[in-house]
Amino acid sequence: MKYLLILALALAAFHSHSQFTHADSLRGNYGKTRDWWNLKHYDLSVTFDIENKEIHGKNVITFSADAVKGVYMDRTIQIDLQQPMEIDSVFNGMLKIPAKNIQRDGDAYLINYQDAQYDDAEATKQQMTVYFHGKPRVAKRAPWDGGIIWTKDPNGKPWVTIACQGQGASVWFPCKDSQYDEPDKGVSMHYTCPDDLVCVSNGIFTGKELNNNGQATYSWKVTNPINNYCMIPYMGDYVNMHEHFTGEKGSLEIDYWVLRGNEEKAKKQFQDAPKTLKALEYWFGPYPFYEDGYKLVEAPHLGMEHQSAVAYGNGYKNGYLGADLSNTGVGLKWDFIIVHESGHEWYGNNITTKDIADMWVHEGFTCYSETLFTDYWFGKQDADKYCQGLRKNIMNDKPIIGPYGVNTEGSGDMYYKGANMLHTIRTIYGNDSLFRMMLRNMNKTFYHQTVTTGQIEQFMSKELNMDLSKVFDQYLREKHPPTLQLKYSKKKVKFRWINCVKSFNMPIMNGDQKLDCTSKWSSYPLGSSNSFELNKNLYVLKSESGKK
């Protein structure tokens, strides 16, 4: 959820260099230490020592391996855990793996792992237990520069959580830290903290165990696949409020976890939650995680899209901390964090990119969900105004798609420019009903899957029956949007595309009238009954000459 303009500028400066390190490749590449094993399940147990700001625990990792009948295989398995955290020991089933077979390479551990493969398909399932401890990296400016957050609430009680999308979940627990592979069977989580606090996490609550030492262990279970960085505990003096949402798949359990004393503010502000679910189910299809419920959890940072347990820190205000990112007034009609972060349940959590270089799929569609929410509740005119207003935040500093295999995103323009690209495509397509069906079919086709930008681009072209390849090349792989050159004379206006990729051929809209446009001159007659006014929903640059 790195959507602030100031952050985008910082990211642009940080990634302006073209050199990447061995550590970047180790983290970002999906090679021979990762590609042979498929995550099935995490069973994570962590104890939080709040006084000493330390944690320790274990992660039982269940996975399947390539089937090789009747032989033993020695392979290297990569488990990520960032410094200063340390792995204490690793077990293959019940057998402890010798320390000599475990090599640390920066923020990754390379483990010589011997697995037995048999004729029985069930024998391909493996289980590895990793014990760990340490003082996790403390967040400097969560959620953007993330890590663990040790703080206190306004009443002086401990308030602890984690925000780690940028850093990755390996900042605090050992895992396969890649978006490429999610645990197919979900996760179980057991978090131990002082028993006068409540620990909330993703999915369904399965129990609390008092440990007779002033500590309690809270257990939560997620049934569906989940990103590593979405697995988050929230520990604090929480109060629960509960309601049901009747959606497209039936009754959805909704829980609001807020700090004691904030109940009345939450009752008023969180009315945007069911409204968001209603609008986004209309546009995107059923909420993707009915089995795991939906939660808003008050957090000591602005917010994050933690699957089924969305972090909320917007101060119970409309807009973005009370401001309108579009500068139109429309963005003050609803709570930005509730709408944006809930939008990620479809784009980011349901549909996840394999490589963060393609994060525009998460952020472009989710930023556009704000426009679609506005369209549903306030009408097309306000939606258009809001989306157009977001353009002031676009920098056109570098391509939206980043370099692959080195754990690096592209431009922060993936938010506002990504949303405006989608609004442009919707406008030139000209049929909102079929555009909506395309979005719904996308979430159905790629349900709970990891994808590439190529898959999304091809899907949209096929569903809309339009060759959008050059449109995607221009908006995603070039710094600037296309420039529409216009030359006016008394009787006509001439137009063509310039400063664009070869063979760029996106049509333009004269109001609601579609006109073919290429890099070669075309013209449109002007007169008493004909005028030319470029549709403002097209995000393009203009170069104009002559008199209108």
Side-chain angles (χ1 to χ4, degrees):
M1 190 209 63
K2 300 175 283 296
Y3 35 69
L4 283 177
L5 180 59
I6 188 172
L7 175 74
L9 289 168
L11 285 174
F14 181 78
H15 292 306
S16 61
H17 58 81
S18 59
Q19 300 298 316
F20 296 100
T21 66
H22 167 69
D24 295 327
S25 296
L26 194 63
R27 171 72 186 282
N29 190 32
Y30 200 79
K32 62 182 180 180
T33 59
R34 286 173 165 170
D35 63 3
W36 62 271
W37 58 289
N38 177 42
L39 274 174
K40 292 297 183 183
H41 187 263
Y42 287 137
D43 192 340
L44 178 65
S45 301
V46 185
T47 296
F48 289 80
D49 183 343
I50 295 177
E51 182 178 353
N52 295 308
K53 297 183 177 178
E54 296 179 345
I55 66 173
H56 65 270
K58 66 177 181 178
N59 191 12
V60 181
I61 304 171
T62 303
F63 61 95
S64 62
D66 296 338
V68 181
K69 296 181 179 180
V71 298
Y72 281 92
M73 297 188 67
D74 289 315
R75 309 193 237 197
T76 300
I77 191 168
Q78 177 179 330
I79 298 297
D80 302 289
L81 185 64
Q82 298 176 36
Q83 302 177 72
M85 295 296 293
E86 296 182 3
I87 286 179
D88 301 315
S89 58
V90 182
F91 285 76
N92 175 2
M94 300 296 292
L95 300 176
K96 185 176 182 179
I97 296 177
K100 67 178 182 179
N101 290 350
I102 304 173
Q103 175 187 353
R104 182 156 208 173
D105 188 348
D107 291 332
Y109 285 82
L110 303 177
I111 302 167
N112 189 318
Y113 185 86
Q114 187 179 78
D115 61 314
Q117 305 292 344
Y118 300 97
D119 292 347
D120 184 358
E122 283 298 308
T124 65
K125 290 184 179 179
Q126 308 288 323
Q127 194 170 85
M128 179 171 59
T129 304
V130 184
Y131 292 85
F132 64 99
H133 80 282
K135 293 189 174 185
R137 180 186 193 275
V138 175
K140 296 178 181 178
R141 193 166 62 90
W144 306 283
D145 189 357
I148 196 165
I149 303 165
W150 309 97
T151 190
K152 292 188 177 181
D153 69 19
N155 297 320
K157 300 203 72 172
W159 195 13
V160 180
T161 190
I162 297 159
C164 60
Q165 180 183 11
Q167 283 70 30
S170 59
V171 76
W172 70 286
F173 74 91
C175 59
K176 188 179 190 178
D177 206 352
S178 171
Q179 289 184 178
Y180 198 105
D181 191 13
E182 298 177 352
D184 300 332
K185 303 297 183 182
V187 299
S188 298
M189 298 161 290
H190 317 278
Y191 298 125
T192 300
C193 64
D195 60 13
D196 61 341
L197 301 180
V198 174
C199 182
V200 183
S201 192
N202 317 83
I204 303 301
F205 178 64
T206 59
K208 173 184 177 181
E209 181 180 354
L210 293 174
N211 300 328
N212 300 320
N213 60 354
Q215 303 280 303
T217 299
Y218 291 83
S219 295
W220 295 81
K221 181 180 180 181
V222 174
T223 301
N224 295 295
I226 185 171
N227 302 327
N228 291 329
Y229 71 80
C230 282
M231 295 170 57
I232 297 294
Y234 305 82
M235 287 157 278
D237 186 19
Y238 284 113
V239 177
N240 176 251
M241 297 181 293
H242 182 83
E243 67 174 317
H244 290 86
F245 170 76
T246 301
E248 293 193 11
K249 289 181 68 175
S251 181
L252 173 65
E253 303 288 331
I254 296 183
D255 286 282
Y256 307 121
W257 293 90
V258 302
L259 291 179
R260 192 175 304 278
N262 288 341
E263 296 94 324
E264 291 306 313
K265 288 188 288 187
K267 285 178 183 178
K268 178 181 177 182
Q269 194 68 16
F270 287 2
Q271 291 177 30
D272 271 353
K275 289 179 66 177
T276 298
L277 293 169
K278 183 75 172 178
L280 298 189
E281 282 207 331
Y282 172 82
W283 284 103
F284 296 151
Y287 173 72
F289 308 108
Y290 269 75
E291 303 85 352
D292 296 322
Y294 170 91
K295 292 183 284 293
L296 286 179
V297 188
E298 188 169 0
H301 61 81
L302 185 59
M304 272 295 300
E305 65 264 25
H306 302 143
Q307 183 174 311
S308 74
V310 171
Y312 177 85
N314 203 35
Y316 300 100
K317 300 175 182 178
N318 277 3
Y320 180 99
L321 291 174
D324 177 9
L325 292 178
S326 74
N327 202 32
T328 63
V330 176
L332 295 177
K333 295 184 176 184
W334 37 268
D335 190 308
F336 175 89
I337 290 300
I338 293 176
V339 175
H340 182 93
E341 301 307 337
S342 298
H344 274 303
E345 295 284 37
W346 284 265
Y347 289 96
N349 297 342
N350 183 42
I351 300 175
T352 308
T353 59
K354 295 178 183 292
D355 194 305
I356 67 171
D358 290 337
M359 283 284 283
W360 81 268
V361 176
H362 296 201
E363 302 301 350
F365 280 96
T366 299
C367 186
Y368 194 51
S369 74
E370 303 156 25
T371 296
L372 296 175
F373 171 90
T374 303
D375 192 314
Y376 186 88
W377 288 108
F378 302 102
K380 184 69 160 55
Q381 185 175 352
D382 273 359
D384 290 344
K385 184 189 300 184
Y386 179 79
C387 195
Q388 293 167 24
L390 293 177
R391 295 173 189 170
K392 68 182 180 65
N393 303 315
I394 297 174
M395 298 178 295
N396 290 321
D397 58 336
K398 61 181 180 178
I400 286 176
I401 292 179
Y404 291 101
V406 286
N407 194 47
T408 301
E409 299 172 4
S411 171
D413 283 349
M414 68 179 81
Y415 293 85
Y416 313 114
K417 189 175 178 180
N420 270 277
M421 177 191 72
L422 293 171
H423 204 46
T424 298
I425 292 172
R426 175 184 171 187
T427 301
I428 63 174
Y429 183 61
N431 187 318
D432 278 3
S433 295
L434 294 181
F435 186 83
R436 169 177 166 247
M437 291 310 300
M438 179 274 295
L439 294 173
R440 293 175 62 90
N441 288 340
M442 183 185 297
N443 276 277
K444 182 178 180 180
T445 299
F446 300 111
Y447 183 72
H448 293 175
Q449 292 183 34
T450 60
V451 302
T452 65
T453 185
Q455 289 176 277
I456 298 301
E457 293 172 33
Q458 292 165 22
F459 178 86
M460 289 184 66
S461 288
K462 182 178 179 181
E463 285 284 307
L464 300 178
N465 196 28
M466 298 175 67
D467 182 2
L468 296 169
S469 58
K470 296 301 180 181
V471 175
F472 289 123
D473 283 347
Q474 183 67 46
Y475 285 88
L476 300 178
R477 297 176 177 88
E478 298 292 324
K479 284 173 42 174
H480 299 285
T483 298
L484 181 64
Q485 186 177 19
L486 296 162
K487 284 188 176 182
Y488 291 92
S489 64
K490 188 174 182 179
K491 294 185 177 181
K492 65 181 179 181
V493 57
K494 296 173 63 179
F495 53 88
R496 68 174 179 177
W497 293 115
I498 61 173
N499 301 328
C500 54
V501 296
K502 186 178 180 180
S503 302
F504 187 75
N505 60 350
M506 186 176 79
I508 60 173
M509 302 295 292
N510 176 26
D512 294 328
Q513 181 184 13
K514 186 183 296 186
L515 302 174
D516 291 335
C517 186
T518 68
S519 58
K520 296 181 179 180
W521 285 111
S522 298
S523 63
Y524 182 79
L526 299 177
S528 58
S529 60
N530 284 333
S531 62
F532 182 87
E533 186 67 35
L534 185 68
N535 191 307
K536 293 181 180 179
N537 285 329
L538 302 188
Y539 174 56
V540 301
L541 302 180
K542 290 193 293 184
S543 173
E544 298 179 284
S545 61
K547 293 183 178 181
K548 294 186 179 181

